[in-house]
């Protein structure tokens, strides 16, 4: 706080405290990292047209790096990537985590006026992709750029789908799926919440739902042999994928059993809302109920923000 008072002598005490709070928030969000910075002696294999050789060089001790094609030995950890004009005018900063298998894009901030014509947000992303491409020649395991979470209905995250080819991680099976395939499945299987099994084919996805529904109706659990029997029985009935998909998307009455609250201590159900409120909440609950089943709907309590 003493430094803030020295740097901003014309501001009163309350304004100086606000600046100090803003600085602490900035440091916690974009500077403080759980990843330790450990300078180390690194060895990388480089290939030439005549022979291959191993070069051992010492990594730079600076945790802030400027982009060029010779910084591929930057060690794992959290870094600030500076974008300068004429080597001295800072116009953008990319905050990244370098991990053994990827470069994770944490955040970027830049001059908003210059970005109107230079698209600095996209520029930082493209440079990070190029950095990974160059680094992968020396560090074979490091070959991905990770753009973080993706919410299909969030307009601010739409830009992440512009970089191709790309993949989404299936939240159900923990496997990567081509984005274009994942997008179609999200919109067809979970049109409201956009959260579902995106790794399964249409047939397997619907069979899984049918099997779960049958389990709840009978009130028992199947072993693996029973599940295979259900699969063969479903195929025997010759139902088309489109008709099964349609039945899977039918609204579930289990949504009316879901309890939720907006303020602590005030537990509600859909019937407590007026028509306008139900029109907003019911589609989300029906989508949620189709994925988790009636049994869990009866036990869960959801907080609506």
């Amino acid at each position: 706080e003493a430094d803030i008072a020295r740097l901003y002598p014309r501001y009163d005490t309350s304004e100086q405290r606000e600046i100090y709070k803003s600085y602490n928030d900035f440091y916690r969000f974009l500077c403080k990292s759980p990843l330790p910075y450990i300078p180390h002696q690194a060895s990388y294999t480089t290939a030439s047209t005549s022979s291959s050789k191993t070069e051992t060089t010492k990594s730079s001790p600076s945790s802030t790096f400027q982009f060029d094609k010779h910084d591929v030995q930057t060690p794992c950890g959290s870094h600030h990537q500076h974008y300068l004009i004429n080597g001295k005018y800072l116009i953008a900063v990319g905050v990244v985590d370098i991990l053994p298998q990827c470069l994770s894009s944490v955040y970027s901030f830049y001059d908003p006026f210059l970005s109107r014509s230079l698209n600095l947000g996209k520029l930082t992303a493209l440079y990070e992709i190029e950095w990974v491409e160059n680094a992968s020649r020396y560090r074979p395991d490091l070959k991905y750029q990770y753009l973080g979470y993706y919410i299909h209905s969030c307009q601010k995250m739409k830009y992440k789908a512009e970089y191709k080819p790309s993949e989404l991680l299936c939240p159900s099976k923990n496997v990567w799926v081509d984005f274009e395939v994942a997008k179609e499945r999200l919109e067809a299987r979970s049109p409201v919440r956009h959260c579902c099994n995106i790794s399964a084919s249409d047939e397997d996805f619907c069979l899984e739902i049918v099997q779960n529904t049958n389990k709840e109706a009978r009130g028992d659990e199947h072993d693996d042999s029973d599940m295979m029997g259900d699969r063969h029985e479903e195929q025997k009935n010759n139902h088309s994928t489109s008709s099964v998909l349609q039945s899977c998307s039918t609204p579930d009455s289990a949504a009316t059993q879901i309890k939720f609250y907006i303020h602590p201590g005030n537990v509600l159900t859909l019937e407590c809302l007026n028509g306008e409120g139900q029109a907003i909440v019911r589609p989300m609950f029906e989508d949620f109920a189709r994925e988790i089943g009636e049994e869990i709907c009866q036990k869960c309590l959801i907080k609506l923000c």
Side-chain angles (χ1 to χ4, degrees), residues 8-51:
Y8 301 93
R10 298 182 181 180
Y11 289 80
D12 60 34
T13 303
S14 62
E15 290 174 322
Q16 290 175 357
R17 287 177 179 173
E18 188 65 27
I19 294 173
Y20 179 72
K21 180 179 180 299
S22 298
Y23 172 80
N24 281 341
D25 291 342
F26 172 83
Y27 179 81
R28 183 176 63 254
F29 179 42
L30 296 176
C31 300
K32 190 176 182 180
S33 171
L35 300 176
Y37 175 79
I38 305 176
H40 63 285
Q41 190 82 4
S43 176
Y44 303 100
T45 300
T46 60
S48 64
T49 56
S50 57
S51 62

Side-chain angles (χ1 to χ4, degrees), residues 67 81-83 91-96 103 105 107-110 118-131 145 147 159 163:
F67 180 85
Q81 186 179 33
H82 291 178
Y83 296 82
I91 61 172
V93 176
V95 183
V96 300
L103 180 144
S105 299
Y107 200 73
S108 66
F109 52 97
Y110 41 79
L118 298 179
N119 291 321
L120 294 176
K122 291 184 178 180
L123 178 67
T124 59
L126 292 173
Y127 267 132
E128 289 166 12
I129 292 172
E130 186 175 3
W131 186 90
Q145 184 207 24
L147 289 172
Y159 76 93
Y163 304 97

Side-chain angles (χ1 to χ4, degrees), residues 37-40 57-65 71 73-75 79:
Y37 175 79
I38 305 176
H40 63 285
T57 55
K58 189 174 181 180
S59 301
S60 170
S62 174
S63 61
T64 299
F65 65 91
D71 64 357
Q73 298 177 27
T74 303
H79 304 271

Side-chain angles (χ1 to χ4, degrees), residues 86-300:
N86 295 333
K88 58 181 180 179
Y89 299 107
L90 182 66
I91 61 172
V93 176
V95 183
V96 300
D97 289 337
I98 298 180
L99 304 172
Q101 296 182 337
C102 73
L103 180 144
S104 177
S105 299
V106 179
Y107 200 73
S108 66
F109 52 97
Y110 41 79
D111 186 309
F113 178 78
L114 290 177
S115 188
R116 294 176 186 175
S117 56
L118 298 179
N119 291 321
L120 294 176
K122 291 184 178 180
L123 178 67
T124 59
L126 292 173
Y127 267 132
E128 289 166 12
I129 292 172
E130 186 175 3
W131 186 90
V132 172
E133 182 180 7
N134 284 300
S136 65
R137 300 172 185 175
Y138 300 87
R139 303 155 79 164
D141 291 336
L142 199 163
K143 51 187 177 181
Y144 301 105
Q145 184 207 24
Y146 178 64
L147 289 172
Y149 289 108
Y150 176 80
I151 301 175
H152 191 55
S153 57
C154 179
Q155 291 298 321
K156 291 185 177 181
M157 293 191 177
K158 291 289 187 182
Y159 76 93
K160 296 183 180 183
E162 297 177 1
Y163 304 97
K164 301 176 181 180
S166 60
E167 297 176 323
L168 282 181
L169 184 66
C170 177
S172 300
K173 303 299 181 181
N174 200 36
V175 297
W176 293 97
V177 181
D178 178 79
F179 177 81
E180 296 302 325
V181 174
K183 177 183 176 182
E184 292 181 2
R185 291 174 178 174
L186 278 174
E187 294 176 348
R189 299 173 183 179
S190 184
V192 179
R193 294 179 61 244
H194 295 131
C195 181
C196 62
N197 183 349
I198 57 175
S199 61
S201 64
D202 288 342
E203 181 183 12
D204 290 340
F205 176 74
C206 293
L207 287 174
E208 181 181 335
I209 292 180
V210 170
Q211 289 166 0
N212 291 338
T213 303
N214 290 339
K215 282 183 184 179
E216 294 173 2
R218 289 193 297 266
D220 59 0
E221 294 292 334
H222 289 308
D223 57 20
D224 291 341
S225 62
D226 291 333
M227 292 180 67
M228 289 301 296
D230 287 342
R231 182 183 179 91
H232 292 315
E233 182 180 356
E234 184 65 27
Q235 292 175 340
K236 186 177 179 181
N237 290 333
N238 293 322
H239 289 303
S240 67
T241 300
S242 60
S243 63
V244 178
L245 274 172
Q246 185 175 1
S247 65
C248 290
S249 60
T250 303
D252 195 336
S253 60
T256 61
Q257 303 177 43
I258 297 176
K259 296 181 177 63
F260 67 94
Y261 69 95
I262 301 175
H263 302 290
N266 188 15
V267 179
L268 308 170
T269 62
L270 281 175
E271 297 177 351
C272 299
L273 302 179
N274 58 24
E276 183 178 358
Q278 288 194 30
I280 296 173
V281 177
R282 181 179 291 277
M284 293 187 291
F285 280 10
E286 289 177 347
D287 198 4
F288 180 70
R290 277 193 294 269
E291 295 175 27
I292 68 170
E294 183 175 0
E295 182 180 355
I296 299 181
C297 283
Q298 296 172 349
K299 299 178 180 178
C300 68

